[in-house]
Amino acid sequence: MSRRKLIAGNWKMNGSLAANQALVQDLLAGIGQPACDVAVCPPGAYLGQVQALLAGSQAIALGAQNVSQHENGAFTGDISATMLQDFGVRYVIVGHSERRQHQAETDVHVAIKVKRALSAGITPIVCVGETLREHDEGMTEFIVRRQLSAVIHLNGDDVGRIVVAYEPVWAIGTGKTATPAQAQAVHAVLRAQLKAATSQADDMRILYGGSMNAGNAAELLAQPDIDGGLIGGAALKAADFLKIVAAAR
Ligand code: PEP
């Protein structure tokens, strides 16, 4: 079993033409030949720009932050999986807690979006994670299993082609990180759930996300079931993101 780690930067709703150019140039200048897979996920409006900036790079892949659950048609503001495909998008974040919270995305929406992404040949990075209240009430395992089970239910054996990201909501953008032991325990639960669903579970990547940074990445990434990171704030600073990439081997 060997899983190549994945470090994906979620830029969220940050950036500008000028800032993106500077960030990607700094990343390309410093990345060399990483020992892991690397992706950046800019806002949808900048996919074309970042695709052009990354052209020719083997080291950094393009990702998106969302995909429509619909195939095409009268869905104002949505971006379809085939549109992402047109821009060379390789990964798409699906079910981020900010979308579950602010855009009322349900487990079923997330499962359908996964299907759309997979049918366009794009790897979904499926986010699961509990809120602070759920955490404090001891519901972590129940919540993440419920979120992942909707994706498994709709996608069957294709679930072997997804990436999972465990992102405790209380750790996102807060500076609080799950301890490596806490994160590993949840990753092991998710791995066991995947094992019951697909023979490919041992080859699947489960990322940790939630205030991962240059200082704590190595310890988190050393856990047996942590196969990379989904990085928010630290992905906006090239030096920090590159340090996390260097820690992933
Ligand atoms: C995220 O938004 O996916 C995330 C993990 O953010 P941060 O690293 O800023 O906590």
Side-chain angles (χ1 to χ4, degrees):
M1 170 198 73
S2 85
R3 294 187 288 265
R4 188 172 161 88
K5 287 188 168 57
L6 168 64
I7 301 294
N10 174 13
W11 294 1
K12 312 195 188 195
M13 199 171 72
N14 295 294
S16 64
L17 288 172
N20 301 342
Q21 181 164 1
L23 179 53
V24 173
Q25 278 171 353
D26 288 350
L27 290 175
L28 290 174
I31 199 152
Q33 285 190 320
C36 62
D37 291 339
V38 179
V40 292
C41 307
Y46 295 122
L47 285 171
Q49 181 207 11
V50 177
Q51 180 192 29
L53 289 168
L54 292 176
S57 168
Q58 304 296 315
I60 306 179
L62 183 61
Q65 297 176 17
N66 182 36
V67 62
S68 176
Q69 68 260 39
H70 305 290
E71 214 170 334
N72 54 48
F75 300 102
T76 303
D78 272 15
I79 301 179
S80 73
T82 52
M83 292 172 189
L84 297 181
Q85 190 184 42
D86 260 354
F87 285 89
V89 166
R90 301 254 306 277
Y91 299 93
V92 61
I93 299 168
V94 177
H96 192 281
S97 60
E98 287 154 13
R99 295 200 61 84
R100 292 182 190 260
Q101 187 186 343
H102 304 304
Q103 317 296 333
E105 276 189 15
T106 65
D107 292 346
V108 172
H109 293 142
V110 172
I112 299 170
K113 286 174 178 223
V114 166
K115 204 172 194 57
R116 293 276 178 238
L118 288 174
S119 60
I122 297 170
T123 301
I125 300 174
V126 180
C127 301
V128 299
E130 82 287 5
T131 63
L132 182 60
R133 187 178 61 79
E134 291 159 347
H135 176 77
D136 290 347
E137 289 176 356
M139 290 170 68
T140 299
E141 189 171 325
F142 171 80
I143 296 294
V144 298
R145 285 179 57 86
R146 188 205 72 208
Q147 291 171 333
L148 184 56
S149 102
V151 173
I152 292 169
H153 183 71
L154 191 73
N155 289 276
D157 203 43
D158 285 343
V159 85
R161 295 196 279 134
I162 73 171
V163 170
V164 177
Y166 169 54
E167 296 211 308
V169 179
W170 49 271
I172 295 179
T174 58
K176 287 185 201 154
T177 318
T179 64
Q182 265 176 332
Q184 166 57 29
V186 179
H187 283 231
V189 164
L190 293 168
R191 179 92 54 206
Q193 188 177 6
L194 291 169
K195 273 190 183 158
T198 168
S199 57
Q200 293 163 75
D202 275 333
D203 297 323
M204 292 176 66
R205 294 182 287 194
I206 307 177
L207 315 185
Y208 170 78
S211 299
M212 192 187 269
N213 58 42
N216 61 27
E219 213 188 340
L220 285 159
L221 293 167
Q223 301 302 308
D225 286 294
I226 300 188
D227 309 310
L230 182 55
I231 320 297
L236 297 172
K237 295 186 199 116
D240 289 2
F241 190 67
L242 290 172
K243 279 185 197 144
I244 297 171
V245 168
R249 41 189 69 252

